[in-house]
Amino acid sequence: MHTKEKILLEGMELFATLGYHGASMTKIADRVGLQKSSLYTHYNSKEALFFDVTTKIAGDYVEFVKSTFENNGQTTQEKLYFSFQAHVKDLANHDSSIEFYNRFSSYPPKGFEDRVLKILRESEEQARAVFKEEITKAQADGDITEDVSPEEAARAFYGLLDGLSYETSYYNMDIIESHGESMWKVFWRGVKA
């Protein structure tokens, strides 16, 4: 792993667990195994590092959503179900990127609110565009009802996932998967042709 990648990874983990103000450049340098002065050759400020982490997480999320549709589903139902399951498993993983995303989408650092939310909102819109494209294809194939627009389907799909993301804080994986199955059943009943 290259130094800059390691800085981004360790920065993400410390920002996620300690918050923006708790994650100092000294702590990040220590985790990476650098002198603080060496860290500053890569990033001239904590703010610059924070926004690189935010941008990386936003981009990784869009790539993740794209990858969830590259699955072995033979039918539209299977393809969407496998995508949903990949999201549920990712949420339950308690990965630092998810903790970062949840923390800073809800509580961006003071003074950075507009910039953080703009980056995250743009990635959400790109991810939903991928989903809506899948729904549009499925509607053309006659698998998804046209009574529900691709936008409405995307709102419902990601609304369910947002609800599950909060459950990861207080339920174990078995319960989250059970709740996910119930949500999937209702979602599919609502969108199928």
Side-chain angles (χ1 to χ4, degrees):
M1 181 182 298
H2 296 291
T3 303
K4 190 158 185 167
E5 292 170 334
K6 193 164 183 184
I7 293 168
L8 287 170
L9 178 66
E10 297 300 339
M12 174 188 61
E13 289 183 6
L14 287 172
F15 287 132
T17 56
L18 302 176
Y20 179 78
H21 296 292
S24 68
M25 292 295 267
T26 301
K27 288 176 184 173
I28 295 166
D30 288 347
R31 289 276 295 264
V32 175
L34 293 174
Q35 295 295 319
K36 186 176 175 182
S37 59
S38 297
L39 178 59
Y40 278 102
T41 63
H42 295 278
Y43 287 97
N44 63 4
S45 68
K46 181 167 73 167
E47 178 181 337
L49 173 56
F50 176 79
F51 280 104
D52 264 10
V53 170
T54 304
T55 301
K56 180 177 180 356
I57 286 173
D60 288 351
Y61 175 65
V62 174
E63 291 307 311
F64 168 75
V65 171
K66 289 178 183 175
S67 76
T68 68
F69 288 107
E70 296 165 1
N71 61 50
N72 294 325
Q74 301 299 308
T75 64
T76 295
Q77 181 180 4
E78 287 176 348
K79 194 169 187 131
L80 291 174
Y81 176 74
F82 291 154
S83 174
F84 185 78
Q85 285 300 307
H87 280 82
V88 171
K89 284 181 175 45
D90 189 56
L91 289 171
N93 213 5
H94 290 289
D95 174 284
S96 294
S97 65
I98 292 170
E99 291 177 23
F100 181 100
Y101 186 93
N102 287 342
R103 174 182 278 237
F104 294 112
S105 64
S106 298
Y107 307 103
K110 198 165 189 70
F112 298 164
E113 297 92 345
D114 291 342
R115 249 175 100 189
V116 169
L117 295 178
K118 181 179 187 284
I119 293 167
L120 298 179
R121 203 174 297 119
E122 286 173 0
S123 76
E124 286 288 331
E125 288 169 10
Q126 291 171 21
R128 287 174 193 236
V130 171
F131 181 83
K132 289 188 287 188
E133 185 178 315
E134 292 294 328
I135 295 297
T136 300
K137 286 184 220 169
Q139 285 176 324
D141 292 340
D143 297 333
I144 300 285
T145 181
E146 296 208 6
D147 292 339
V148 175
S149 73
E151 180 67 33
E152 291 169 324
R155 286 182 193 146
F157 188 84
Y158 286 102
L160 297 175
L161 291 169
D162 286 346
L164 279 175
S165 75
Y166 286 101
E167 290 190 6
T168 62
S169 300
Y170 43 88
Y171 289 121
N172 66 33
M173 186 60 178
D174 291 338
I175 293 172
I176 292 166
E177 284 180 342
S178 172
H179 291 182
E181 287 297 320
S182 298
M183 291 174 175
W184 169 258
K185 183 178 173 182
V186 173
F187 172 80
W188 180 250
R189 187 179 302 150
V191 299
K192 71 179 180 176

